[in-house]
Amino acid sequence: MDLGISGKRALVCASSKGLGLGCAEALAAEGVDLVMNARGAEALEASAQAIRDAYGVKVVTVACDVTTPDGQAMVLKAAEGADILVNNAGGPPPGMWTDWEREDFIKALDSNMLTPIAFIKGLVPGMMERGWGRVVNITSQAVRAPIPVLGLSNAARTGLTGYVAGTSRQVASKGVTINNLLPGLHATDRAESLDTAAAKQQGITIEEARAQRCSAIPVGRYGTRQEFGAACAFLCSQHAGFIVGQNVLLDGGAINLTM
Ligand code: NAP
């Protein structure tokens, strides 16, 4: 299926690895030029070059921490006039509900709520003026069903979800859609670090922790960044113009819900 977005320009935040990279690759495969970002310049440039080589699109890289005001200013300058925005950043650390102080919550809110809002405010007005735009926020399955050890993520991402629910309905008439993609377990570095934490907590091996977590997924495995990227590219496509303010769960059936 031709997604009809060849020649568009996308900012994909936090995209040198994992789910962000999956989104960047899937958009590039559709002929979308990219602004890619991550803190580590080496991995970022390597991923950008692999995308240039594979898909022949233009890729600009901005190595910075996207959760800081300076980083946001740098990224916004490079992405001025972008048609597509994929919001992403690292997830907060696991812990117990008693562990976190105000500063921990502020950090999680900065990463997973206020940073995506800053990019929406920075890029959506231009999309509205031009009459077309797509925003996809990478959030988490934790928005539909809280994950006990990820209380910071449960809290911050739910805040973003409320903001998107209201905002998406205010910009839709100008051809701009905002939706959230909710990853369940995917095979990325983040999953590896959560497996490691689970193994340590239970005194089992990482392989045992992974097998335990896969057994709770009806599909019986972790998702891939390619599957995730394909869903993102569809939400960014011409065909997705009637999908507004939705929370699309990509979890292999893990959360037991009727709707
Ligand atoms: P990942 O494999 O660890 O990749 C994270 C990417 O983001 C890397 O490119 C990293 O590069 C970049 N990054 C992290 N913090 C950044 C920052 N402050 N500024 C700029 N770039 C940053 O993670 P992932 O699995 O793709 O997860 C992506 C998001 O989805 C996270 O918020 C995660 O919590 C959420 N999620 C993931 C899963 C899963 O199973 N994988 C499930 C639910 C939710 P640098 O380190 O070089 O900056």
Side-chain angles (χ1 to χ4, degrees), residues 54-108:
Y55 305 109
V57 296
K58 289 185 202 126
V59 184
V60 172
T61 57
V62 186
C64 65
D65 184 339
V66 85
T67 66
T68 64
D70 286 354
Q72 287 161 18
M74 282 167 72
V75 171
L76 278 171
K77 195 168 169 216
E80 202 182 342
D83 311 289
I84 293 169
L85 163 64
V86 179
N87 269 316
N88 187 30
M96 279 283 292
W97 62 276
T98 46
D99 289 345
W100 304 304
E101 303 299 337
R102 185 173 192 279
E103 279 316 304
D104 302 304
F105 282 100
I106 297 297
K107 210 168 162 208

Side-chain angles (χ1 to χ4, degrees), residues 14-249:
S15 54
S16 66
K17 298 177 190 168
L19 304 180
L21 176 59
C23 296
E25 290 169 326
L27 289 168
E30 295 299 321
V32 174
D33 293 327
L34 300 173
V35 177
M36 291 175 68
N37 150 265
R39 291 163 303 182
E42 204 176 316
L44 176 63
E45 192 45 48
S47 295
Q49 193 54 46
I51 288 179
R52 290 183 196 109
D53 293 345
Y55 305 109
V57 296
K58 289 185 202 126
V59 184
V60 172
T61 57
V62 186
C64 65
D65 184 339
V66 85
T67 66
T68 64
D70 286 354
Q72 287 161 18
M74 282 167 72
V75 171
L76 278 171
K77 195 168 169 216
E80 202 182 342
D83 311 289
I84 293 169
L85 163 64
V86 179
N87 269 316
N88 187 30
M96 279 283 292
W97 62 276
T98 46
D99 289 345
W100 304 304
E101 303 299 337
R102 185 173 192 279
E103 279 316 304
D104 302 304
F105 282 100
I106 297 297
K107 210 168 162 208
L109 289 170
D110 267 339
S111 294
N112 300 118
M113 178 180 171
L114 299 176
T115 294
I117 290 174
F119 283 112
I120 288 171
K121 286 175 66 183
L123 292 177
V124 165
M127 295 178 190
M128 292 169 76
E129 267 173 38
R130 293 186 297 277
W132 195 93
R134 298 283 183 265
V135 179
V136 173
N137 303 298
I138 300 180
T139 66
S140 172
Q141 65 181 354
V143 170
R144 293 299 299 280
I147 300 170
V149 295
L150 291 178
L152 293 171
S153 174
N154 298 338
R157 296 185 198 278
T158 305
L160 175 65
T161 305
Y163 177 84
V164 167
T167 305
S168 59
R169 272 102 184 163
Q170 295 171 58
V171 303
S173 70
K174 303 290 184 192
V176 180
T177 68
I178 313 180
N179 293 287
N180 304 315
L181 271 182
L182 283 54
L185 286 169
H186 283 72
T188 67
D189 288 0
R190 166 79 171 169
E192 187 81 20
S193 73
L194 292 176
D195 287 343
T196 307
K200 199 170 155 199
Q201 196 193 25
Q202 296 176 56
I204 56 177
T205 66
I206 294 177
E207 290 70 30
E208 284 167 338
R210 191 172 301 137
Q212 206 178 68
R213 298 208 307 158
C214 281
S215 72
I217 304 172
V219 168
R221 61 170 176 85
Y222 288 179
T224 68
R225 74 165 196 259
Q226 289 82 5
E227 290 169 316
F228 192 87
C232 176
F234 181 77
L235 283 180
C236 295
S237 75
Q238 297 292 358
H239 310 297
F242 210 55
I243 305 176
V244 170
Q246 296 303 300
N247 291 282
V248 179
L249 186 59

